């Protein structure tokens, strides 16, 4: 799989997830996202999905692939949670 296909698949997944969030935002009073929130989400998802696709298509051993995938997913979740509720009390925490 070449890099163009990886980018295409990542963008398709990001658009679908963003549409899901948009529909939830319309019908829910708890979720109130701005365009900035959608753009940050898209960038984070693109980085995560592209890294996952690159790792899965690499020639690393199966164990190393799982370690990298876990590390990327764990890092993504920490950043997502920090932006949402601010578990580390950083200046860009979302609370």
């Amino acid at each position: 799989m070449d890099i163009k296909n990886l980018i295409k698949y990542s963008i398709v997944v990001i658009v679908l997830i963003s549409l899901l969030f948009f529909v939830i935002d319309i019908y829910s009073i708890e979720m109130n996202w701005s365009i900035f929130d959608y753009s940050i989400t898209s960038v984070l998802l693109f980085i995560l999905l592209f890294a996952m696709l690159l790792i899965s298509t690499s020639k690393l051993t199966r164990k190393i692939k799982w370690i990298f995938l876990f590390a990327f997913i764990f890092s993504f979740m920490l950043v997502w949670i920090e932006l949402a509720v601010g578990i580390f009390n950083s200046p860009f925490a979302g609370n």
Side-chain angles (χ1 to χ4, degrees), residues 15-95:
V15 168
L16 292 175
I17 292 172
S18 295
L19 283 174
L20 175 69
F21 288 147
F22 183 69
V23 170
I24 293 170
D25 192 19
I26 289 173
Y27 293 109
S28 174
I29 59 172
E30 286 90 20
M31 189 170 160
N32 186 17
W33 280 17
S34 66
I35 194 71
F36 179 73
D37 297 322
Y38 284 105
S39 60
I40 292 296
T41 301
S42 298
V43 169
L44 285 174
L45 285 172
F46 181 78
I47 291 169
L48 175 70
L49 291 173
F50 192 70
M52 288 174 66
L53 288 170
L54 282 177
I55 291 169
S56 67
T57 57
S58 69
K59 295 182 181 182
L60 299 171
T61 64
R62 190 176 184 100
K63 184 176 180 180
I64 299 296
K65 283 183 184 182
W66 279 106
I67 291 171
F68 276 123
L69 286 173
F70 177 76
F72 271 101
I73 292 170
F74 184 74
S75 301
F76 171 79
M77 293 305 295
L78 281 178
V79 170
W80 187 282
I81 292 169
E82 175 61 24
L83 291 173
V85 295
I87 57 174
F88 301 120
N89 295 323
S90 67
F92 54 89
N95 21 358

